[in-house]
Amino acid sequence: MKKTKQLSLLLSGALAFGLLAGCGGGTTSTPAPTESGAPSTDASGEAFELTINIASEPQTIDPALNSAVDGAIMINHMFEGLMRWEDSGAETVGSDGTCTNAQLGYGQAESYDKVNNEDGTVTYTFHLRDGIKWSDGQDVTASDFVFSWQRLVNPETAADYSYMIDCVVNANAIMNGEMEPSELAVSAPDDKTFVVTITSDLPYFTEICAFPATFPVRQDVVSNSQWTYDPATYISNGAYKMTSRVTNSEIVMEPNENYYGVDSLGPDKITFKLMDDANAMLSGFNSGELDFIESMPTDEVAGLLASGDLKIVDYIGTYYVCYQTQKAPFDDPRVRQAFTLAVDRTYIVEQITQTGQVEAGGYVPAGVYDAEGATGDDFRTVGGDYYAPTDADYEANCEKARELLAEAGYPNGEGFPVVTYLYNTDDSHKAVAEALQNMWQTVLGVTVQLDNQEWATFLQTRKDGDYSIARNGWIADYNDPMSFLDMWLTGGGNNDAQYANPEYDSLIQQAKATTDPAERMQLMHDAEDIIIGQDYALCPLYFYTQKYMLADGIQGMYYTPLGYFFFDQCTRS
């Protein structure tokens, strides 16, 4: 990849996140008042319906249990937190004007107060809007948020994202079974007031309040373990409500008539088609059956880019390989390092992905803030590379890889067991898998078999640790390195590598406890030095960009580089 292309991507990522970061805290913008109006129609005067494909069957659409971007996009349309991502109405993403940047605004809360306490803790008091209701007409109350946040940290819930609110006083003790969920530092003095006390002043806390895991659910609803599968029981509080769900086929949603902003919504129906066949996706888009897709056959990408039909936007995330660090042969860091160094990242981004991705020299991606925030160098620039990610030094990487494998007892791959690389069904993932398979065979002399699974099954297999090597990817939940680093704490819900290092854990906990920006960032750099520079628990391949295709005539889509597309304000000309 040309250096000029890398620079343009990094600069555009910084600009996009500059917009997002400026909207947190007490200056958060308030959504504009809604106006009454007739249901939206397209140019023909007919009801406006959108048909979307993000991915195949989601693993879950329970806000507390979801840990995938596809599930989060659906949940974002049907639920709403204290804060929400809204259309900035300003900067466009790309040059065609069909998609704008999202900014952080008020959601179910209309305002909040923030108090820095003498003991270093911080108390937020959120004041809920008048007239907010569930899709069945019941009032949304502050007690619903209390229940939902307690449910998130309750070990019985087994939420992968329980650590998302480990900043709340007593959360860690609850997750460790030392205290009861009722002792979480959240309360509802009345139906309109939600109070939460956090351990230190976090710059990204209001973004957490717009994250799906913190969205409210109702206690009487989620007591039914199958509540997410039936529109009659999938009671939500967001702009849309589920009206139909057919497993492995589609999830349909229509405007929630009890939502405070229902009169400003665009589509009269949004259908999420559940598919994992890239050829079928592109065919459906070309025939007009699909209005939006994210995936297409790998061999079609270059032509679609050249025609302008395929759009590329920033995406703050890393595509990587994780090793099962508790099972031989990948319990040996020398083996993990050898496999990591044997990868030709330049070949992958230039010959396979071909949509502007940047070779990864570390785990935390470009565009994530360091101590000086949006005005200074980002975390990746400050941290530097842990290995040469480009083709200029690839042969040196390969020589080192062969030496390491020999030191581990497998000279030229002799005696190395046949291992399997796990990935989810997708043309692009398959192409990357085949390239990795060939590189490891050619450079190290080892045999790697390939195994693909459909999305939901793949997620569970990887979570269970039933693999040797697996495809992985992580998108920022908020613009801070902690979003990428605290998931690897020992026993963490998203720690699919089953990585465990007490020194790493200590550094992350220290970073969580300090509010000094420089000290905090240095602790996180030290932690990345351990997991990547010393233990090689992960093999970063590239920093993401996001690709999509949107049908002609559709306007009003907005997007955050956290990976969320929003369709609630779309119109068709």
Side-chain angles (χ1 to χ4, degrees):
M1 177 180 295
K2 296 181 180 178
K3 294 294 183 181
T4 53
K5 181 64 173 177
Q6 290 188 25
L7 178 62
S8 68
L9 280 169
L10 297 183
L11 287 175
S12 62
L15 288 171
F17 255 87
L19 173 65
L20 301 182
C23 300
T27 60
T28 303
S29 61
T30 305
T34 60
E35 298 179 1
S36 297
S40 59
T41 58
D42 61 19
S44 68
E46 298 178 353
F48 174 35
E49 300 182 4
L50 272 180
T51 305
I52 309 297
N53 173 246
I54 300 291
S56 56
E57 179 73 21
Q59 187 179 33
T60 179
I61 50 173
D62 181 325
L65 299 182
N66 174 71
S67 59
V69 174
D70 60 305
I73 291 174
M74 298 177 197
I75 291 166
N76 269 315
H77 285 80
M78 295 184 285
F79 285 84
E80 185 172 279
L82 297 162
M83 309 295 289
R84 67 184 291 265
W85 293 105
E86 64 184 8
D87 187 359
S88 69
E91 279 189 59
T92 60
V93 179
S95 59
D96 64 348
T98 59
C99 185
T100 59
N101 276 320
Q103 65 183 11
L104 196 65
Y106 291 117
Q108 297 284 279
E110 63 179 5
S111 65
Y112 66 80
D113 305 314
K114 175 185 174 184
V115 176
N116 291 77
N117 304 314
E118 291 184 1
D119 62 356
T121 63
V122 179
T123 298
Y124 283 82
T125 301
F126 290 91
H127 306 284
L128 302 188
R129 295 174 183 269
D130 290 333
I132 51 176
K133 294 182 180 295
W134 295 100
S135 54
D136 65 355
Q138 288 193 32
D139 291 339
V140 176
T141 69
S143 295
D144 293 323
F145 283 93
V146 170
F147 165 75
S148 301
W149 286 41
Q150 291 175 346
R151 176 179 182 248
L152 181 60
V153 298
N154 189 334
E156 293 182 2
T157 306
D160 289 348
Y161 264 123
S162 59
Y163 67 86
M164 181 58 67
I165 57 170
D166 65 1
C167 57
V168 179
V169 170
N170 295 337
N172 280 308
I174 295 167
M175 289 186 284
N176 292 332
E178 300 164 3
M179 298 179 73
E180 294 299 316
S182 59
E183 296 178 86
L184 188 69
V186 294
S187 63
D190 56 58
D191 286 350
K192 291 294 181 185
T193 309
F194 175 70
V195 181
V196 53
T197 300
I198 60 177
T199 56
S200 60
D201 195 357
L202 297 179
Y204 52 83
F205 180 68
T206 51
E207 290 191 38
I208 289 177
C209 295
F211 187 74
T214 68
F215 290 177
V217 293
R218 215 168 66 203
Q219 186 170 5
D220 64 310
V221 170
V222 301
S223 61
N224 171 7
S225 63
Q226 300 299 305
W227 73 283
T228 62
Y229 292 95
D230 186 347
T233 55
Y234 195 69
I235 306 302
S236 58
N237 72 319
Y240 286 80
K241 63 181 181 181
M242 184 200 297
T243 56
S244 174
R245 179 171 185 176
V246 181
T247 301
N248 292 318
S249 178
E250 64 183 24
I251 294 175
V252 182
M253 53 189 74
E254 298 179 11
N256 172 11
E257 64 273 19
N258 292 304
Y259 181 63
Y260 64 88
V262 64
D263 291 332
S264 68
L265 299 178
D268 296 289
K269 179 185 292 186
I270 303 176
T271 300
F272 284 85
K273 290 290 187 181
L274 309 176
M275 307 164 63
D276 61 11
D277 184 326
N279 287 293
M281 295 172 195
L282 182 59
S283 177
F285 182 84
N286 288 335
S287 70
E289 296 174 14
L290 295 174
D291 296 304
F292 175 96
I293 60 173
E294 286 186 346
S295 298
M296 58 288 303
T298 302
D299 58 4
E300 299 280 358
V301 167
L304 293 170
L305 275 173
S307 69
D309 293 328
L310 180 61
K311 314 297 182 185
I312 305 295
V313 292
D314 294 304
Y315 204 13
I316 308 299
T318 304
Y319 189 112
Y320 63 99
V321 166
C322 63
Y323 306 109
Q324 220 302 12
T325 62
Q326 300 302 312
K327 295 180 181 179
F330 294 103
D331 57 347
D332 187 333
R334 295 171 297 184
V335 173
R336 300 194 296 262
Q337 185 178 0
F339 270 65
T340 298
L341 291 176
V343 174
D344 185 348
R345 291 162 181 79
T346 301
Y347 178 85
I348 289 174
V349 300
E350 290 186 352
Q351 303 299 321
I352 298 177
T353 60
Q354 302 183 57
T355 49
Q357 291 85 357
V358 176
E359 302 101 315
Y363 176 56
V364 177
V368 176
Y369 296 151
D370 204 88
E372 295 181 12
T375 61
D377 288 338
D378 66 10
F379 189 89
R380 185 74 278 126
T381 301
V382 174
D385 293 333
Y386 291 98
Y387 44 81
T390 59
D391 54 2
D393 298 292
Y394 182 55
E395 286 306 317
N397 285 354
C398 292
E399 185 59 35
K400 177 66 174 177
R402 286 186 283 266
E403 292 174 4
L404 286 162
L405 202 64
E407 289 176 16
Y410 307 105
N412 300 314
E414 296 171 10
F416 196 85
V418 175
V419 295
T420 299
Y421 177 86
L422 179 69
Y423 67 98
N424 57 294
T425 304
D426 178 274
D427 261 12
S428 59
H429 297 326
K430 179 183 180 182
V432 171
E434 290 173 342
L436 292 173
Q437 179 187 47
N438 182 64
M439 292 169 192
W440 290 326
Q441 167 71 46
T442 302
V443 176
L444 301 176
V446 301
T447 299
V448 178
Q449 298 176 336
L450 304 182
D451 180 24
N452 70 292
Q453 297 178 345
E454 61 88 18
W455 178 234
T457 302
F458 164 77
L459 290 178
Q460 191 61 51
T461 301
R462 192 177 67 188
K463 177 180 173 63
D464 292 342
D466 189 16
Y467 70 93
S468 294
I469 324 171
R471 185 203 79 79
N472 216 324
W474 195 255
I475 310 304
D477 298 321
Y478 44 86
N479 189 1
D480 191 272
M482 191 61 77
S483 179
F484 290 86
L485 296 173
D486 66 353
M487 64 188 289
W488 303 111
L489 287 169
T490 301
N494 286 310
N495 186 348
D496 294 336
Q498 305 203 355
Y499 175 69
N501 185 318
E503 185 181 1
Y504 181 87
D505 294 348
S506 176
L507 289 167
I508 294 299
Q509 296 299 356
Q510 290 177 61
K512 285 175 176 283
T514 182
T515 56
D516 178 83
E519 178 185 2
R520 188 171 169 274
M521 289 296 169
Q522 186 57 57
L523 287 164
M524 287 190 283
H525 281 295
D526 292 345
E528 192 184 32
D529 287 345
I530 291 174
I531 191 171
I532 301 298
Q534 171 185 299
D535 292 344
Y536 280 83
L538 314 170
C539 172
L541 299 184
Y542 58 79
F543 301 143
Y544 276 109
T545 56
Q546 175 66 281
K547 61 185 184 296
Y548 72 91
M549 296 177 69
L550 182 67
D552 292 341
I554 295 178
Q555 303 288 332
M557 184 176 73
Y558 56 108
Y559 169 78
T560 165
L562 302 178
Y564 305 148
F565 285 97
F566 296 89
F567 304 98
D568 58 291
Q569 299 298 310
C570 285
T571 59
R572 191 195 303 270
S573 59

